[in-house]
Amino acid sequence: MKRRHLLTAITATTLLLTACGANDKPAGPQAGAEVKPGGTLYLLTDSPTQQYDPARSSSLVVTGLQFVHRRLTSWQVAPGKDTTIVPDLATDTGKPSDGGKTWTFTLKDNLKYNDGTPIKSADVKWGLERSFAAAFSGGLAYHKDLLSPGLAYKGPFEGGKELDTIETPDDKTIIFKLARPYGDWNWVASTPAFAPVPKGKGAEANYNEHPVASGPYFLEKFERGKEAVLARNTYWDKATDDTRKAYPDKVVWQLGQQTNVVSKRLIDDSGDDRNAFGTSFASPAQLAQIQGNASAKSRLVTSESGALAYLALNTERGKLTDPKVREAFQYAVNKAAFQVASAGNAQLAGDIATTLITPGLVGREQFDPYPTKPEGDPNKAKELLAAAGLPNGLDGLILVTRNENGGPEKAQSIQAGLAAAGIKVTIKTLDEDAFTAEVQTKPNPDYDLVLESWQPDIPSANANIQPLFQSTEIGGGGFNTSRYNKPEIDKLITEAQATVDPNEAGRKWAEIDKKILADSPVVPLIYTRNSYLHGSKVGNVIIGRFPAYADYRQFGIIP
């Protein structure tokens, strides 16, 4: 399943400003105050646009798209707890049958769009069919190969062909006939493409600028590069929606904002900016400003954990084809230096990672197959290289990194640690487009090592493991940048995906985690932390254990 990396598709703040725990009660003027219905929430972003076409969106359940579109299922997110699946448009989280190959959902009563027309099962089917059309691609695609193996289906717009693996026997029932058993289908049903689109609508390329809304708000005004204004959908029935609070009367996205200006506005905390939430990165100088401002520091929330940052080793390249050589990197890398390069110190950056599955997911086991100090063990790495026939170490390796978000500085910390172990690398810094072309698309890419990070798209270990390590994800835009290809692992991934019981599936994913790390295709670095700055009148800014992003559904304005 080829789709965009979540971290590049969401405008989530990663300010990393303070070591306070997630959802600490602030010490500022809003401490103890409760949000009330009403008011206007302002979301400040450096992005020039927002994507409101669900077929093209990678937005998580807790972020921007949820204001306008609902999905079959949703997530219950809370601090200190694993995220669980709950119904959204459906009455339950889906009924599997036929060993997990067939899933049936029933829509709730009294579901309406913002124009007052009823939401029907055929609309969910139509929305999914739209996602197969080339003109409306770009969103998460977990569903596609399961509904149309080999992506033979090309959408409904050429000849009006329907996708016969989705059945809608009546207006309330939708049945999915999958190509193979898939235990996470109920989680997949929470991805954007499962938002309903009225059958026959959305043929135009700019549907994202005037979508039909099923959520608590509709898009009242959209001006690219300036703003997107969301107003209440009077036909949204709170009794049918257990996860969206929908406190504000309006939500205004201020688009194309300069990050330094956003930071200053939120620090100053005056006028409408008291009702604002920032979604853009801040420079180190801006971070220092906030650290020195007691009021601003009181308006920060920080995640418990976050994305897995890791060093991928090109397992098809030179000496890195040998697992024994790759094992040396587990000891050569200085993870403590990487923490400092990421956010100034270890506590701000996030905990050191030793597993592939990130915290907060069912079945995750904490283990460390290569125990060493945070600074690594260069001598141990040298011994392993010598035992693998490389007594003089390695030379001439190419380390690729992105040029944004401190990529060069992080790469330099890796470079220095490897040099101490006799591994010499040259850093190649690329912009996002060049990075994608070289690392993810090129048939024979010119790199040995690559710095990456990954936040799963759904709260399942499946979304941690499959995109990064299944052989089908090598090249063609996939995210298997270690180019790891092992039939045994492919088989185990398919078996785990087919397991319907979540606890049993969790055990299988944990074993796969251990088996992959035994081959050392990657070096886990840290589980990155995210922090958010908001105005003094914005309340309920909480972050669950997963994902490491603030839950926009809970935001409200303090009178």
Side-chain angles (χ1 to χ4, degrees):
M1 293 165 288
K2 306 296 191 279
R3 74 273 194 277
R4 293 177 294 161
H5 192 332
L6 175 64
L7 296 184
T8 64
I10 291 181
T11 55
T13 310
T14 51
L15 294 177
L16 296 167
L17 302 175
T18 181
C20 67
N23 319 303
D24 284 352
K25 287 188 177 180
Q30 79 277 37
E34 294 185 3
V35 300
K36 300 290 185 182
T40 299
L41 170 69
Y42 295 90
L43 299 173
L44 314 180
T45 177
D46 60 355
S47 173
T49 189
Q50 285 291 301
Q51 182 56 261
Y52 290 107
D53 186 336
R56 293 176 165 179
S57 176
S58 298
S59 178
L60 289 179
V61 163
V62 299
T63 52
L65 193 74
Q66 61 82 26
F67 288 120
V68 174
H69 296 293
R70 298 177 66 176
R71 313 164 191 202
L72 284 180
T73 61
S74 187
W75 309 347
Q76 190 68 49
V77 174
K81 297 181 180 179
D82 287 351
T83 295
T84 57
I85 189 167
V86 294
D88 191 355
L89 292 173
T91 57
D92 56 32
T93 57
K95 292 182 172 64
S97 57
D98 191 21
K101 286 184 68 174
T102 300
W103 285 79
T104 302
F105 295 82
T106 303
L107 298 184
K108 295 174 182 175
D109 295 330
N110 200 34
L111 299 174
K112 295 181 180 180
Y113 293 109
N114 65 291
D115 63 2
T117 58
I119 296 172
K120 301 178 181 180
S121 57
D123 301 338
V124 178
K125 177 178 179 177
W126 174 259
L128 287 162
E129 289 174 338
R130 285 182 74 250
S131 72
F132 283 85
F136 302 100
S137 63
L140 299 182
Y142 287 92
H143 60 285
K144 288 186 177 180
D145 192 60
L146 290 163
L147 291 173
S148 178
L151 305 187
Y153 182 68
K154 302 301 181 184
F157 301 110
E158 297 180 12
K161 183 175 174 57
E162 292 191 9
L163 187 57
D164 56 13
T165 52
I166 305 177
E167 299 175 1
T168 54
D170 54 55
D171 287 347
K172 291 288 188 68
T173 307
I174 184 164
I175 303 169
F176 299 98
K177 302 282 190 178
L178 308 183
R180 56 188 171 88
Y182 201 81
D184 278 340
W185 187 253
N186 50 359
W187 286 114
V188 173
S190 71
T191 59
F194 287 78
V197 176
K199 188 170 182 179
K201 299 276 189 181
E204 63 280 11
N206 64 341
Y207 180 72
N208 67 296
E209 297 182 10
H210 50 84
V212 182
S214 54
Y217 302 91
F218 72 96
L219 188 57
E220 183 179 62
K221 178 183 178 183
F222 183 88
E223 190 172 350
R224 183 182 174 86
K226 187 175 180 182
E227 67 176 3
V229 179
L230 310 182
R232 283 198 184 277
N233 170 12
T234 57
Y235 289 98
W236 172 75
D237 184 359
K238 182 174 177 56
T240 69
D241 195 336
D242 294 330
T243 62
R244 296 169 182 83
K245 301 300 184 184
Y247 286 121
D249 287 331
K250 281 197 173 185
V251 178
V252 177
W253 287 88
Q254 295 188 358
L255 308 173
Q257 302 295 305
Q258 294 182 6
T259 55
N260 61 331
V261 174
V262 169
S263 180
K264 184 179 186 307
R265 287 170 56 183
L266 291 174
I267 291 172
D268 291 346
D269 192 40
S270 63
D272 288 341
D273 290 335
R274 292 181 297 171
N275 291 20
F277 176 87
T279 68
S280 300
F281 292 101
S283 70
Q286 292 157 6
L287 303 186
Q289 274 187 300
I290 296 167
Q291 288 284 53
N293 185 300
S295 171
K297 285 188 69 173
S298 76
R299 293 181 272 113
L300 296 168
V301 289
T302 302
S303 66
E304 298 176 44
S305 187
L308 171 69
Y310 61 97
L311 179 69
L313 315 181
N314 187 343
T315 59
E316 296 180 342
R317 179 106 156 175
K319 299 296 183 180
L320 297 181
T321 58
D322 184 349
K324 293 298 184 182
V325 173
R326 298 196 299 266
E327 184 179 346
F329 284 78
Q330 304 287 355
Y331 298 95
V333 169
N334 186 334
K335 298 182 183 181
F338 183 82
Q339 287 176 312
V340 173
S342 298
N345 64 57
Q347 193 172 27
L348 298 180
D351 295 336
I352 284 176
T354 61
T355 69
L356 304 174
I357 300 174
T358 48
L361 303 185
V362 173
R364 178 183 184 270
E365 292 183 17
Q366 177 59 43
F367 62 94
D368 187 355
Y370 307 104
T372 186
K373 298 177 294 184
E375 296 79 15
D377 188 342
N379 291 329
K380 173 75 170 177
K382 289 178 181 179
E383 291 173 8
L384 289 168
L385 290 174
L390 297 169
N392 298 319
L394 277 168
D395 196 358
L397 302 186
I398 297 173
L399 168 59
V400 173
T401 187
R402 294 175 174 85
N403 62 8
E404 66 265 21
N405 302 333
E409 292 78 15
K410 295 173 187 176
Q412 288 164 14
S413 74
I414 297 295
Q415 181 187 46
L418 296 179
I423 302 170
K424 297 179 182 179
V425 304
T426 299
I427 297 171
K428 182 192 289 187
T429 303
L430 302 174
D431 64 26
E432 184 63 36
D433 289 342
F435 183 96
T436 300
E438 177 65 53
V439 175
Q440 295 173 219
T441 307
K442 194 174 179 180
N444 297 298
D446 185 24
Y447 70 85
D448 300 282
L449 313 170
V450 58
L451 269 180
E452 286 275 33
S453 66
W454 185 260
Q455 174 82 61
D457 298 315
I458 55 177
S460 167
N462 177 14
N464 252 134
I465 299 293
Q466 183 273 333
L468 303 187
F469 299 104
Q470 192 170 47
S471 63
T472 56
E473 300 301 303
I474 298 173
F479 297 98
N480 184 347
T481 54
S482 63
R483 305 183 74 82
Y484 182 67
N485 186 345
K486 193 165 185 177
E488 177 194 358
I489 296 299
D490 285 348
K491 181 174 181 291
L492 290 173
I493 286 173
T494 300
E495 290 175 357
Q497 288 179 330
T499 304
V500 175
D501 179 79
N503 293 318
E504 182 183 354
R507 288 190 290 271
K508 290 182 177 181
W509 288 116
E511 287 304 309
I512 295 171
D513 191 341
K514 295 173 184 175
K515 286 181 179 293
I516 292 173
L517 276 177
D519 285 336
S520 292
V522 304
V523 179
L525 298 172
I526 62 173
Y527 305 116
T528 59
R529 286 196 175 99
N530 296 344
S531 296
Y532 296 82
L533 178 64
H534 59 84
S536 60
K537 292 294 185 181
V538 181
N540 281 9
V541 182
I542 64 170
I543 309 175
R545 183 172 288 166
F546 178 92
Y549 304 122
D551 188 348
Y552 293 11
R553 301 173 301 177
Q554 313 305 318
F555 288 6
I557 302 301
I558 301 169

